[in-house]
Amino acid sequence: MKKIILMLMLSAAVFSCKNSEEKNNETEEVTTENVDQIQTYKGDFINSEGALVLMGPNYIFGVKRDVVSDELSKKVAAVKVNDYDMVGVVVRGVVTKNTDKESDWEEEITIKEIMKVNEKPSEVDIKLNESEKKK
């Protein structure tokens, strides 16, 4: 008898809970339909001359400007030594086709969560050796 009552109470609790999500015009809420689209991306982030870019081992995305990308830019700026330094980050976001005609990026990432920002800039793949001019 106790098992039946426990099962009835448990099923009533489960069915009485409602997941009601409202969409706000200013911020896009995560719904059950686009949860699968949010993925984790690890790469180098750069904010140079107004362009926000996330570059990984096999992708390069333009980054959509919003509150989260502005926060990431501030965190990366605190780590950078010069304007062209790239900083390793781990973010979660949604990648979509870029509809902005003025942008050169085919795909754009909307960052939903900043998971990690490295404490120092990434190592440069190619270093240019500058030699002194001979007189």
Side-chain angles (χ1 to χ4, degrees), residues 14-105:
V14 169
F15 290 118
S16 66
C17 293
K18 292 184 180 180
N19 287 336
S20 60
E21 295 182 2
E22 296 179 10
K23 211 169 196 180
N24 188 351
N25 289 338
E26 294 177 10
T27 59
E28 181 181 330
E29 299 254 345
V30 177
T31 63
T32 55
E33 295 173 3
N34 65 4
V35 165
D36 294 334
Q37 296 174 354
I38 297 177
Q39 295 184 3
T40 303
Y41 295 93
K42 179 179 180 181
D44 290 327
F45 180 82
I46 186 168
N47 179 0
S48 178
E49 299 176 8
L52 303 178
V53 179
L54 181 65
M55 183 176 79
N58 56 359
Y59 60 83
I60 298 178
F61 300 135
V63 177
K64 184 173 182 179
R65 286 193 178 276
D66 59 9
V67 175
V68 180
S69 65
D70 289 342
E71 179 183 343
L72 180 60
S73 292
K74 288 176 185 174
K75 289 182 178 184
V76 167
V79 175
K80 295 189 329 183
V81 176
N82 66 47
D83 287 345
Y84 299 105
D85 279 341
M86 298 180 88
V87 178
V89 298
V90 179
V91 296
R92 291 180 44 84
V94 177
V95 175
T96 57
K97 293 287 183 190
N98 188 3
T99 57
D100 185 7
K101 305 253 190 243
E102 295 178 11
S103 177
D104 294 332
W105 306 108

Side-chain angles (χ1 to χ4, degrees), residues 91-132:
V91 296
R92 291 180 44 84
V94 177
V95 175
T96 57
K97 293 287 183 190
N98 188 3
T99 57
D100 185 7
K101 305 253 190 243
E102 295 178 11
S103 177
D104 294 332
W105 306 108
E106 291 180 21
E107 294 179 310
E108 181 177 58
I109 184 169
T110 303
I111 298 173
K112 300 293 184 182
E113 178 184 358
I114 303 167
M115 299 178 75
K116 179 182 176 187
V117 176
N118 288 351
E119 295 175 0
K120 61 182 182 178
S122 300
E123 293 293 322
V124 179
D125 291 334
I126 300 172
K127 291 185 179 182
L128 299 175
N129 290 331
E130 295 181 11
S131 59
E132 293 181 25

